[in-house]
Amino acid sequence: MSRILRKGLKLCAPVAVYILIWQLLSMLVGSSLLLPSPKETLLALGRILGSALGWRSVGATLLRILAGYSIGCVTGVLLAVLTARFKVCAWLLTPLRTLIKTTPITSFALILLISVVSGLVPVAVAAIVVVPMLWRTTEEAILGLDETLKEMSKIFLSPWKQLRYVTLPQVFGQVFATASTALGFAWKAVVTAEILALPRFGIGNQMYLDKLYLEYADLFAWTLIVIICSVVIEKALQRAVKRMEKAHD
């Protein structure tokens, strides 16, 4: 058996088991209104992907996630640099990080709805969710840098080379692991915020309407789209990072 075939079987076998369990539960329940079967969900998925509204909704949600995630990552890293380097910033801003981290997503979305355009609420919520995760990890990574190596690099290397060859290699692993996790949280935050904000186009908006009109097969299909898109984007991010590491080496 070839290596590719073994890898494919290893990936598909668990999925097949879960689909079988899903089918058995659907048959046991006996109502597509309560639990649609895999076949009904796939048919709904085909209808969604065959419509312009479906692709617009997916595209709008993807743009919001990428925007909110990017803003959150950049902001989190910048705040981490400030709080790691300046004690006054750590004293002033650390309570803010705790506040952001402990406040429910729903609260942020509802507060933002008062003054922010509905389409931008999910972007802001995603950024708010990502910021404390990147902030804390990056700050800890910076504070955990090897002091001896830092002092030696100051003697022999320029500030740019210190950053490239000393700081980034030590910090990168921890930060990327958190960034990968944060991407999953960004997906959840955006879809949740879309359900509350109800922008014109968006996966969350469509899920809300399907729940409202009891279109549960479509609701399951949208959930499947979210899972697939999340996995694909995360894998793409991991591959891009690996290529960057190879180029750096």
Side-chain angles (χ1 to χ4, degrees):
M1 187 181 293
S2 68
R3 181 172 172 272
I4 296 175
L5 184 58
R6 284 199 304 270
K7 189 174 180 181
L9 287 173
K10 186 178 179 181
L11 179 66
C12 295
V15 176
V17 171
Y18 285 119
I19 291 175
L20 178 60
I21 294 171
W22 178 6
Q23 176 64 37
L24 291 174
L25 287 174
S26 178
M27 292 169 65
L28 183 64
V29 171
S31 172
S32 59
L33 187 62
L34 297 176
L35 183 60
S37 67
K39 180 181 177 181
E40 290 169 326
T41 302
L42 287 176
L43 289 173
L45 180 64
R47 289 196 304 271
I48 290 170
L49 296 180
S51 67
L53 177 61
W55 285 105
R56 279 189 175 186
S57 298
V58 172
T61 297
L62 284 174
L63 286 175
R64 292 185 186 112
I65 287 167
L66 293 175
Y69 177 74
S70 301
I71 293 168
C73 286
V74 172
T75 305
V77 170
L78 291 177
L79 288 170
V81 172
L82 287 175
T83 52
R85 185 165 183 179
F86 304 107
K87 290 184 179 180
V88 66
C89 290
W91 171 76
L92 185 64
L93 296 175
T94 299
L96 176 62
R97 182 175 65 196
T98 303
L99 178 65
I100 294 171
K101 186 178 178 181
T102 55
T103 303
I105 295 173
T106 307
S107 298
F108 281 122
L110 293 175
I111 291 168
L112 290 169
L113 272 172
I114 298 171
S115 57
V116 178
V117 178
S118 62
L120 296 178
V121 170
V123 177
V125 170
I128 289 169
V129 168
V130 171
V131 163
M133 299 177 70
L134 269 293
W135 184 351
R136 185 178 184 86
T137 301
T138 307
E139 181 183 5
E140 290 176 350
I142 292 172
L143 293 174
L145 290 172
D146 189 319
E147 291 296 329
T148 304
L149 193 59
K150 282 173 62 179
E151 294 301 321
M152 289 179 62
S153 66
K154 288 179 182 179
I155 299 172
F156 298 105
L157 300 175
S158 66
W160 166 248
K161 288 185 177 180
Q162 289 176 43
L163 177 65
R164 183 177 180 184
Y165 295 110
V166 179
T167 304
L168 288 181
Q170 293 186 71
V171 170
F172 186 81
Q174 289 177 254
V175 174
F176 173 69
T178 301
S180 183
T181 303
L183 183 59
F185 280 91
W187 267 98
K188 295 174 184 178
V190 166
V191 174
T192 300
E194 285 181 341
I195 292 172
L196 293 171
L198 297 178
R200 184 177 180 186
F201 298 108
I203 291 175
N205 182 30
Q206 296 305 313
M207 293 177 77
Y208 173 81
L209 293 175
D210 290 334
K211 183 261 179 187
L212 189 65
Y213 296 113
L214 304 180
E215 297 286 351
Y216 287 156
D218 286 33
L219 182 59
F220 273 58
W222 280 114
T223 304
L224 189 60
I225 289 171
V226 170
I227 293 170
I228 293 171
C229 288
S230 180
V231 170
V232 169
I233 292 177
E234 186 174 345
K235 294 295 182 183
L237 178 62
Q238 291 173 352
R239 288 189 177 184
V241 170
K242 285 180 180 179
R243 287 180 181 177
M244 287 170 60
E245 289 177 335
K246 288 181 180 179
H248 183 268
D249 295 337

